[in-house]
Amino acid sequence: MSSVVTICPKLVSNCGNQLVSVDLNTPVKSLSELVSKQLQLNEDKFDLMCFGRILSPDERLDSYGITNGTTVFVLNKTDFSAFADKSDTEAMDTRPTVSAADVQHMVIALRTALI
C-alpha cells in the first residue's frame, strides 16, 4: 500500500519539503533511491533520518514507525574519518588537563570557603 512521506532536505538550501509516494513495507533503500532521483544527489552523499535515528538501508520503513505523513530528513552523510587514527578516548576527551598543584589549590579554596 502506497503512503505519502514528506522529505525535508537539510543539505540543499534552496529546496523545500517534497512529498514522495512510497510503500512502507519496502526497505529504506527504495526511499533513498527516490530521494536521489528527486534531489539529483548521489546516494552515498546523504543519510535519511527520522525520529532522531539514521535509517539503515536494509531495514523496512515501517520498522522505524514511519507512517503516512511522516517527515524524513535528508542530511549530509557524516564523515568519521577524522577520528579513524585516534583512539576512542583521545578523540572524545576534550577536557583540559588539571595538574596535581591545581587540584591542591582547589581543595584549599573549598576548605576555606566551608570554614
Side-chain angles (χ1 to χ4, degrees), residues 21-94:
S21 180
V22 66
D23 184 1
L24 299 176
N25 293 320
T26 60
V28 171
K29 178 86 172 142
S30 62
L31 178 59
S32 184
E33 290 168 355
L34 287 171
V35 169
S36 176
K37 288 177 188 172
Q38 275 200 323
L39 299 179
Q40 297 175 350
L41 292 170
N42 212 347
E43 284 183 59
D44 62 347
K45 299 292 183 192
F46 64 87
D47 283 319
L48 298 178
M49 178 182 244
C50 189
F51 303 121
R53 295 176 63 193
I54 299 291
L55 307 182
S56 173
D58 300 327
E59 295 291 323
R60 289 184 1 188
L61 290 166
D62 59 359
S63 70
Y64 288 101
I66 296 173
T67 59
N68 190 31
T70 300
T71 299
V72 177
F73 296 92
V74 182
L75 306 169
N76 279 325
K77 189 169 281 282
T78 307
D79 181 17
F80 292 107
S81 64
F83 298 107
D85 295 336
K86 299 180 179 181
S87 68
D88 289 341
T89 55
E90 188 180 350
M92 305 271 287
D93 192 7
T94 59

